[in-house]
Amino acid sequence: MIHRLWDPRWETADCTTIESHQLELLKEQVKRVFTKLPYYRKKMQERNISPEDIHSIEDLRLLPFTTKKEFTENYPFGMFAVPLNEVVRVQGSSGTTTGKSSIAGYTRYDLETWSNLCARLVTAAGVCSHDIAQVSFGYGLFTGGFGLHGGLERVGALVIPLSSGNTSRQIKFMRDFGTTALISTPTYALRIAEVMKEEKVGADDLSLNWGLFGAEPWSEGIRKQLDNDLGIIATDNYGMSEVMGPGVSYECLERKGMHIAEDHFIVEMIDPETEEPVAPAEVGEIVLTTLTKQAVPVIRYRSRDLSRLFTDTCPCGRTGVRMEKVRGRTDDMLIIRGVNVFPSQIEGVLLGIEHTKPHYQIVLTRHGALDEIEVQVEVTEGLFHDEMRKLKHLEEEIHYKLKNELNLDCRVKLVEPKSLERFEGKAKRVLDLRSK
Ligand code: DLL
């Protein structure tokens, strides 16, 4: 396999070079944040810390965390460390958790950094100037559309800025233009694959080679399905509005973890309860510090995302730390009758069972003091019209396997093909009716 790099100097830097670069930038960044951002200065003063206390990367631990709450409290521009006339763009998260979006601002220099990081990402995923890239992420405040767009243009690919939605049109453009790279959420790519089947368009009718998917958790099972249905090599990439958007970490074609852009971000893994670092290679919450962001620098941003770090060498030649696919968010975790359940565990079980589709919904209800969980699963067309006995058998199999995995009795409801909602951006799998 041929691996190309966008920025070999930094992508293959040795750890001593990275560390001294990080330390130098960190000291500057902490000084800037202390002088320019009243909310962070106050936090540091409460802890009796000043920028002069930072002598090593480990000293980062002395500094307070930043959370989504700060973005909400300082909405819209209170997180900006530069005057507004230096900010040339805002982007943001959807704001589903707090009702208020986290507003990220970018100076010209930040946009330059961002498109370079996204250029690394798309290059690692196989895209070059010969590719025709269809961006089916939403364009707008969401960082997916504009972020990937910037990186693709930078590497010289021909970019089709289609945004998400109107799936038949997406397929028509893929055919007409000979699209070679699809960029979207994995959920939307599944939807595209589904509509292709309905319209009798096979992977061979298209010219797709690469699928660049991110912005939400997706399992290896979904990856396999996308590889097959679209005839692509599907890679994962990760980021968040508060830190930059896409470009924080990305898989190469080896697909053995996401390479973190350590010359721009310091990554830590903490135990979300104790806030202490986890042992190397243990699962923890990803915490990120930006080193080069001008408009909205963040120190120790608690992502709420759970993953694992590892440092073994990757055959692609990139050095440094990689992170495993994100397992889910700490705030995605459902607590049902005292048992902790991640939606990704349910997805894992469903994808391992024949005759189900990767379309499911988790419905939570409360009866008296007792929480109930129902897993609604679409079955394949063929089976749905089959005998009752077979459906009953499938229902029992899912129930049994979920119980084994989760240690919890879930109600299982098989539903007609195409009866559950489809998503054009990030999927919303959990319907929580408990507080209603
Ligand atoms: O989703 C940024 C992005 C856009 C990343 C396009 C990759 C591609 P937000 O809307 O602020 O930003 O949401 C950030 O999405 O904290 C994770 O919980 C989740 N997330 C992002 N990428 C992944 C991924 C963008 N590859 C939140 N795997 C993050 C799992 C992801 N979760």
Side-chain angles (χ1 to χ4, degrees), residues 249-262:
S249 67
Y250 48 88
E251 279 181 342
C252 64
L253 296 173
E254 295 288 331
R255 308 195 286 187
K256 292 186 180 125
M258 293 187 270
H259 295 274
I260 300 173
E262 286 184 279

Side-chain angles (χ1 to χ4, degrees), residues 93-94 137 142-144 148 213-218 236-242 245-246 258 303 305 326 329 426:
S93 70
S94 53
F137 269 134
F142 174 55
T143 51
L148 266 297
F213 306 126
E216 60 178 354
W218 52 305
D236 195 359
N237 64 82
Y238 168 82
M240 72 217 66
S241 326
E242 292 84 353
M258 293 187 270
S303 68
D305 296 319
V326 172
R329 296 175 55 81
K426 307 189 190 212

Side-chain angles (χ1 to χ4, degrees), residues 331-352:
D331 40 17
D332 269 355
M333 192 178 77
L334 310 168
I335 306 180
I336 317 286
R337 301 199 287 275
V339 181
N340 299 349
V341 177
F342 280 102
S344 57
Q345 287 176 286
I346 295 179
E347 180 175 303
V349 169
L350 297 179
L351 281 164

Side-chain angles (χ1 to χ4, degrees), residues 134-139 162-171 173 183-185 188 191-192 195 423-425:
Q134 188 157 320
V135 182
S136 308
F137 269 134
Y139 279 69
L162 211 49
S163 205
S164 59
N166 198 342
T167 311
S168 291
R169 189 159 147 262
Q170 300 272 352
I171 297 165
F173 276 123
I183 292 96
S184 69
T185 61
Y188 192 46
R191 175 67 185 149
I192 293 176
V195 176
F423 303 96
E424 293 169 353

